[in-house]
Amino acid sequence: MVFHKEFQTAGKEPGLQVWRVEKMDLKPVLKQLHGNFFTGDCYVLLYTTAAPSYYIHMWLGSESSQDEKGAAAIFTTQLDDFLGGGPVQFREVQNNESLTFLGYFKSGIKYKQGGVASGFQHVVTNDMNVKRLLHIKGRRAIRATEVDMSWSSFNRGDCFIIDLGKDIFQWCGSECNSFERLKASQVAIDVRDNERNGRATLLMIEEGGEPQAVIDALGPKPNIPAGSADDESVDRSNQKKGVLYMISDAAGSMKASVVAQTSPFKQEMLSSSECYILDNGVDSKIFIWKGPSANTAERNAAMKAAEQFIKEKKYPKHTQVQVLPGGGETTLFKQFFCNWKDKDQTTGPGQAYSLGRIARVVQVPFDSSSLHTNKTMAAQHGMVDDGSGKVQVWRVEDGDQVPVDPSSYGQFYGGDCYLVLYSYRLGGREQHIIYTWQGLKCTQDELAASAFLTVRLDDSMGGSPVQVRVTQGQEPAHLMSLFKGKPMVIHLGGTSRKGGQSRVGSTRLFHIRQSSTRATRAVEVEPSAAFLNTNDVFVLKSSNTVFLWRGVGATEEELAAAQYVTSFLGGGSATEVSEGKEPAGFWSALGGKKEYQTSRSLQKMVKPPRLFGCSNKTGRLIVSRGWISLSVGMEYFLVKDTLYSSLSLSQAEEVPGDFNQSDLATDDVMLLDTWDQIFLWIGNEANEVERTGSAKIAKDYVDSDPSGRRGIAITTIKQGMEPPTFTGWFQAWDPKLWETDPLERIRARF
């Protein structure tokens, strides 16, 4: 294949490269103008990681010609081929870009009118006669769109940038909030520094306080209309549903045959010699997976196959497309599979490992002595400290909390709910965590009471504790470490109430596993050989014998924990059994031999964290004659003169790119997903509906996960009280960030 001369520098060093399609040729865009896009043009972008791995994006302007789109597709295929067929490819359509794409431009993307056909060029200009108006939209993904230079383009709910060359004005409508002002300021600073070489003057003005220069540019100011809601309320109940197709003859008359009608899928459904379409069209996303052994013609025709599929399904033209080589799958793609294992995921229990070439999260081995200094380690392993602080445990009983005898701390029964209060010191200040443990066989009344009692305990301590809701079987590592060297023991059912214990079965099986932090848990499971695992230790108690079964990959610490379990089960000394040398009595006690997990796979996999903002703000409600548009099926609350909708999962918007602390909006509830734990961060200015509705958002988020995750621990944190298990996911966390108004800080840069 013939390669364009521009590709000689492609992917040579980490970072972003941008080219514009100009008269069927490629021209580089200056680095300081990255993020500016003419609506009449098409672009090819390449992002190179340090690994290295590659992401190619084909961006299509809303007014670009068919010839330009075709040329962009050809250059994208050539670039993919030049880089060995390994890049992930994205098809981006103006106003509907992927989160990966938006993440490259933290100061927002700017849509400019015109294009190469009408003589518009990407140049850094010192021309002080510029006149244009940019409309700023978005709380997480910022878009600045050039609109008509007229008062008719304005509304009271948004921010606008009035660019007059030597003076740049940020105009703030009377209904826009501080977070929107903050994001608009980032765009204004970017225009001054990168488009105007820092030579322009920045000024922030409020609606009603326009200086004469603005009036001269726009004319007499009329009444400005109210703002509209940022986004239509849409039903996203099916946004995570997918259908998997195998495609054949992609280079000719493509045929798609159904492999599985609904997610979650299994990884073994993908054959390395074929190409597949994962259809998530209900959420405007299509994925093409290219098997590493598929023929070259089909691999090169992947993007064409996706566009043909979109036409056949009558999906919107703005449907996003990702083309993924085998081994280069994105998190968004892998979430549709219930059992996804990455290539480098089997290097042995407890060892550090990588997650393939596109991973951005590196696992940090656990070291308890550096917990307070290494926040990244604390976050990955879910450990605020080594568990040596003060522990208090209550059982939920008859709607109240009853103290548990300290001698039985660490014993949890599936028919109960418990409150565990943990107190420790961090940075000279006492901190608290309330773990609410909910058994799988407890009653609805106990579940409700546990939630009420958690809030009561939290209120009694001034609202400062971190709250963690734990479902039986999904205990976080830190909770497991609180019992002074003893394993956490979870009984399948029953209760620890006086006289309330149910009769236990004559045969019981306990699964003992050590976490990455070296804390151990013993979980009672059904007494069946199918539950055995080669990585772990099991204790089997039958009517007349106790067996201690040791898998090939088990650790000495797991063996010691198993011996503790045998001590309270009774039945005499245990018979130790090594995997592969089991006596007949062992198998007969389990009801016979069955297949079980024999893969020496890792216990934990580090996945890139994701941050979402949860907001129900619909704008100001003017109480007067007229109508306001409300969505069917939503509840609304009127507080003073502000209209709030009930909080739902459709209102959770992901923060694009590598997030940082400043992405936490203090007037919202934020959801941080670190795969094996969910954090709810409550901003000080979040409204009451957001605060009370956030727990349901988190539950709905996990329940709708296409990979089938369920029962993940949910931790609720208040602004200013963040533990290291949370802050460690943010680079360079500043505990004093909110002591000054973020808007004042950015104004200082004006």
Side-chain angles (χ1 to χ4, degrees):
M1 182 177 282
V2 177
F3 299 118
H4 196 282
K5 63 181 186 297
E6 280 295 327
F7 297 163
Q8 296 306 315
T9 61
K12 298 298 184 192
E13 55 187 56
L16 184 67
Q17 294 170 271
V18 182
W19 298 273
R20 179 167 73 155
V21 177
E22 297 186 8
K23 298 176 182 174
M24 306 304 126
D25 198 4
L26 272 187
K27 297 291 183 183
V29 175
L30 290 172
K31 190 171 184 177
Q32 58 263 52
L33 296 178
H34 288 180
N36 289 273
F37 297 91
F38 285 109
T39 59
D41 289 333
C42 294
Y43 295 77
V44 175
L45 295 84
L46 172 66
Y47 183 79
T48 305
T49 72
S53 56
Y54 309 103
Y55 298 80
I56 300 173
H57 301 261
M58 175 177 70
W59 187 90
L60 310 176
S62 60
E63 297 168 9
S64 59
S65 69
Q66 213 43 56
D67 286 346
E68 287 169 323
K69 291 175 182 174
I74 291 168
F75 288 132
T76 297
T77 302
Q78 286 183 359
L79 181 55
D80 178 76
D81 212 45
F82 178 79
L83 294 171
V88 175
Q89 295 179 45
F90 297 77
R91 174 181 175 267
E92 313 283 2
V93 178
Q94 181 184 333
N95 283 311
N96 291 278
E97 294 86 357
S98 67
L99 283 165
T100 304
F101 182 91
L102 295 169
Y104 303 143
F105 312 106
K106 293 301 277 188
S107 296
I109 56 177
K110 296 181 279 296
Y111 301 134
K112 296 182 167 186
Q113 294 175 345
V116 66
S118 44
F120 290 91
Q121 298 298 320
H122 280 288
V123 291
V124 177
T125 177
N126 296 322
D127 182 5
M128 295 304 177
N129 296 316
V130 173
K131 277 192 178 182
R132 63 173 176 165
L133 180 64
L134 296 175
H135 182 187
I136 315 300
K137 292 287 282 184
R139 287 173 65 80
R140 326 286 169 202
I142 316 164
R143 291 180 169 89
T145 305
E146 188 173 348
V147 293
D148 288 341
M149 187 82 175
S150 162
W151 284 116
S152 62
S153 299
F154 285 73
N155 70 73
R156 298 199 298 270
D158 292 327
C159 292
F160 292 77
I161 291 174
I162 306 164
D163 184 1
L164 300 181
K166 64 183 179 63
D167 293 315
I168 300 170
F169 298 92
Q170 178 184 327
W171 183 94
C172 304
S174 57
E175 296 170 9
C176 69
N177 62 43
S178 58
F179 197 69
E180 290 166 333
R181 292 163 187 252
L182 189 68
K183 294 296 183 182
S185 296
Q186 293 174 359
V187 179
I189 290 169
D190 185 70
V191 171
R192 178 196 65 189
D193 293 350
N194 291 320
E195 292 188 41
R196 218 54 48 74
N197 266 336
R199 290 184 172 88
T201 302
L202 274 186
L203 298 116
M204 187 180 294
I205 58 175
E206 301 291 329
E207 179 187 348
E210 295 82 5
Q212 191 59 44
V214 170
I215 302 298
D216 291 344
L218 292 166
K221 182 182 152 203
N223 287 329
I224 304 294
S228 58
D230 276 352
D231 299 289
E232 290 180 32
S233 180
V234 294
D235 177 13
R236 298 192 181 180
S237 56
N238 289 317
Q239 66 175 348
K240 297 293 181 71
K241 292 284 190 292
V243 183
L244 187 64
Y245 297 87
M246 185 173 74
I247 53 178
S248 56
D249 195 20
S253 55
M254 184 194 76
K255 298 180 183 66
S257 52
V258 175
V259 176
Q261 280 284 3
T262 185
S263 56
F265 311 121
K266 292 185 176 178
Q267 190 175 2
E268 49 267 30
M269 292 176 176
L270 301 175
S271 165
S272 63
S273 59
E274 304 291 349
C275 293
Y276 295 82
I277 290 178
L278 197 163
D279 176 10
N280 183 220
V282 290
D283 197 29
S284 297
K285 292 182 181 69
I286 297 294
F287 302 86
I288 304 282
W289 186 84
K290 304 186 296 184
S293 306
N295 74 64
T296 305
E298 288 203 343
R299 287 167 59 84
N300 287 343
M303 187 65 78
K304 178 187 166 191
E307 292 182 344
Q308 184 180 333
F309 186 83
I310 289 168
K311 280 182 186 174
E312 288 177 1
K313 291 288 183 180
K314 295 184 170 57
Y315 288 151
K317 290 182 179 178
H318 63 249
T319 299
Q320 294 177 13
V321 176
Q322 289 187 19
V323 178
L324 311 162
E329 297 83 4
T330 59
T331 302
L332 208 57
F333 176 82
K334 289 187 284 189
Q335 70 175 346
F336 287 91
F337 294 79
C338 60
N339 65 338
W340 192 274
K341 294 285 190 296
D342 284 291
K343 180 183 175 185
D344 299 321
Q345 202 188 328
T346 54
T347 57
Q351 297 179 19
Y353 55 93
S354 65
L355 292 178
R357 291 191 302 162
I358 68 166
R360 298 186 190 180
V361 179
V362 179
Q363 187 183 20
V364 181
F366 184 74
D367 174 13
S368 61
S369 65
S370 59
L371 267 171
H372 294 303
T373 55
N374 190 336
K375 290 183 178 178
T376 300
M377 182 188 68
Q380 281 190 15
H381 294 279
M383 298 290 286
V384 297
D385 72 350
D386 60 3
S388 59
K390 182 183 177 184
V391 179
Q392 298 174 75
V393 184
W394 296 269
R395 183 179 56 255
V396 175
E397 194 171 319
D398 298 327
D400 207 350
Q401 57 193 75
V402 177
V404 170
D405 186 334
S407 65
S408 60
Y409 278 8
Q411 302 264 348
F412 292 79
Y413 290 80
D416 285 334
C417 290
Y418 298 84
L419 302 187
V420 180
L421 174 62
Y422 180 70
S423 304
Y424 65 105
R425 296 195 72 81
L426 180 65
R429 188 170 66 171
E430 189 167 51
Q431 307 272 17
H432 307 280
I433 302 173
I434 302 171
Y435 289 104
T436 308
W437 189 91
Q438 299 171 333
L440 293 175
K441 296 186 178 179
C442 68
T443 66
Q444 277 301 121
D445 288 346
E446 286 172 326
L447 275 176
S450 70
F452 165 75
L453 292 170
T454 300
V455 173
R456 190 176 76 176
L457 181 57
D458 181 78
D459 288 344
S460 73
M461 303 180 74
S464 65
V466 170
Q467 297 176 31
V468 185
R469 192 198 73 190
V470 180
T471 302
Q472 179 182 342
Q474 300 287 341
E475 293 76 18
H478 186 254
L479 175 59
M480 291 159 52
S481 74
L482 302 186
F483 307 109
K484 314 307 177 207
K486 294 187 295 187
M488 182 178 187
V489 181
I490 298 160
H491 300 264
L492 191 59
T495 172
S496 57
R497 299 182 189 191
K498 254 188 183 173
Q501 284 88 344
S502 54
R503 185 177 176 85
V504 295
S506 59
T507 304
R508 304 179 73 186
L509 181 65
F510 284 83
H511 180 181
I512 291 93
R513 171 174 287 184
Q514 184 182 41
S515 75
S516 62
T517 64
R518 303 188 187 96
T520 48
R521 175 178 57 183
V523 180
E524 187 177 4
V525 295
E526 296 292 343
S528 165
F531 286 94
L532 296 176
N533 188 311
T534 194
N535 298 292
D536 304 321
V537 175
F538 288 75
V539 172
L540 171 64
K541 182 185 183 299
S542 65
S543 55
N544 53 12
T545 315
V546 177
F547 292 100
L548 196 159
W549 183 88
R550 182 174 185 171
V552 172
T555 66
E556 290 300 322
E557 291 90 344
E558 288 169 339
L559 192 63
Q563 287 161 348
Y564 170 78
V565 173
T566 62
S567 70
F568 69 76
L569 280 179
S573 59
T575 302
E576 191 169 325
V577 175
S578 295
E579 183 178 7
K581 297 179 180 178
E582 299 87 354
F586 176 82
W587 295 119
S588 62
L590 287 173
K593 278 188 178 183
K594 290 180 183 173
E595 283 190 13
Y596 62 87
Q597 174 58 267
T598 56
S599 170
R600 298 270 314 262
S601 62
L602 287 170
Q603 297 169 4
K604 188 177 178 185
M605 186 166 113
V606 180
K607 299 202 175 197
R610 303 172 71 187
L611 182 66
F612 298 81
C614 307
S615 175
N616 67 342
K617 297 168 183 67
T618 62
R620 307 289 279 185
L621 173 63
I622 309 303
V623 184
S624 61
R625 289 179 298 172
W627 297 89
I628 182 162
S629 175
L630 303 180
S631 299
V632 175
M634 294 289 287
E635 293 179 3
Y636 291 83
F637 303 87
L638 182 60
V639 182
K640 294 184 179 177
D641 64 342
T642 303
L643 185 71
Y644 300 109
S645 67
S646 58
L647 209 56
S648 70
L649 186 57
S650 65
Q651 291 156 303
E653 182 185 6
E654 187 165 1
V655 174
D658 294 333
F659 54 78
N660 55 48
Q661 188 180 354
S662 63
D663 287 313
L664 296 172
T666 56
D667 61 346
D668 280 345
V669 170
M670 309 293 293
L671 185 151
L672 175 65
D673 178 7
T674 65
W675 186 251
D676 58 0
Q677 192 164 8
I678 302 291
F679 292 93
L680 280 174
W681 181 89
I682 300 177
N684 287 341
E685 299 160 37
N687 65 58
E688 192 57 33
V689 178
E690 289 168 338
R691 289 169 181 265
T692 55
S694 57
K696 184 178 184 300
I697 281 278
K699 184 179 182 301
D700 290 348
Y701 172 79
V702 174
D703 288 348
S704 65
D705 190 328
S707 69
R709 275 189 301 170
R710 297 292 181 270
I712 306 299
I714 297 171
T715 300
T716 303
I717 296 167
K718 286 93 172 178
Q719 180 185 338
M721 305 298 294
E722 298 85 1
T725 46
F726 178 81
T727 61
W729 295 105
F730 297 80
Q731 189 172 11
W733 180 273
D734 179 5
K736 297 182 178 178
L737 179 71
W738 293 298
E739 289 180 6
T740 55
D741 183 352
L743 200 54
E744 289 303 318
R745 278 200 311 275
I746 203 162
R747 272 181 174 163
R749 294 173 58 193
F750 273 35

